[in-house]
Amino acid sequence: MRPPLLHRRCPELVGSLPFLRLGAAPTPVRALPGAGTRAELWVKDESGYGDGGWGGNKVRKLEWLLPEARRRGARTLLTVGGLGTNWGLAAARYAREQGLEVALGLIDHPVDEHVRDQLERLRASGASLYFPRTKARLILAAPWLFVRHFHGATPPYYLPAGGSSPLGALGAVEIALELGAQVEAGELPEPAWLVTPVGSGGTTAGLALGLRLARLRTRVLGVVVNDTLRLDSRALLALARRSAALVRARGADVTGAVPGPDAVRVETAWLGDGYAHPTAAGDRALALASARTGLTLERTYTAKAFAALLELDARGGLAGGPVLFLQTHGPR
């Protein structure tokens, strides 16, 4: 198994922070001249990552979370998401391969053809599905769900939405360390900005920490696509610091790598009416990306982030060097 770059960067973690490889790394980078941006535009494409039944950046989180669940002796993962959750489907499919059960609490959002198809995939995954409908009712149901999925005296291993815990964020640390190696190898110039959607915060937080570990000056521009969680820069940087604290607690020295207040910039103007509500700007960006760059985006996360990139670039708001778009969508 190819070891993670975090273990190479911090060999003290090999025995204390287990890792399970679930995809082929590194993911590719390529230029996107067809987008017509003022800034030099590149993409790091996570869409093909994952050897199992689903792909994308969610799989990166599971590479750290599934071994931790086994270390704790858990038999079930308990997690939450929206009706069309990519996170929940990835967790269900990869956890099942490791002999773990999954229980999902799902809350309502707009339903389109993709969500209907996703629900069928979720039902076929073997996960136990619960439909409390609203976030408030899910919170009220949480104690019952927790008790319901004990195995003897062993509790389920709870994971927040999107797997965005301090441990799950290490998946994006690995993405950033790969990027650092690709910059060093001359595969692309060092980006001034790395643009990513922000759905639950773990990817943005992990990137901010990983870029500093990789000794890159790149800043993260997070485009918020979820109005049900606190996802401002202060919250995201706090999660990055908690990930750094976890790594320190497991024995590694990350002195000087904790991101400062300017490491993350958050944009909220492309959210539209809320999580999973499509926007006209997102639909235009989705069509442009497909026709001119070969990227397959989706309306909840990546189309809104790409729309923000295009509009900010047109205004001159992404000056300072090349811009890298993180393609997190991994359809199967």
Side-chain angles (χ1 to χ4, degrees), residues 237-251:
L237 288 168
L239 179 54
R241 289 193 293 270
R242 287 162 59 205
S243 289
L246 170 66
V247 171
R248 280 196 298 269
R250 299 291 178 98

Side-chain angles (χ1 to χ4, degrees), residues 14 18 42 59 111 171 201 226 239 254 263-264 266 271 296 301 314 327:
V14 172
W42 291 74
V59 182
V111 175
N226 188 353
L239 179 54
V254 292
V264 173
V266 170
L271 174 63
T296 299
Y301 293 88
Q327 163 65 313

Side-chain angles (χ1 to χ4, degrees), residues 40-60:
E40 182 182 351
L41 183 61
W42 291 74
V43 63
K44 184 164 173 61
D45 193 349
E46 292 285 296
S47 65
Y49 195 82
D51 296 333
W54 200 250
N57 69 315
K58 310 298 187 187
V59 182
R60 297 280 200 166

Side-chain angles (χ1 to χ4, degrees), residues 110 224-228 268-280 304:
V224 174
V225 301
N226 188 353
D227 56 344
T228 68
T268 60
W270 285 266
L271 174 63
D273 290 335
Y275 179 72
H277 288 260
T279 63
K304 291 181 179 182

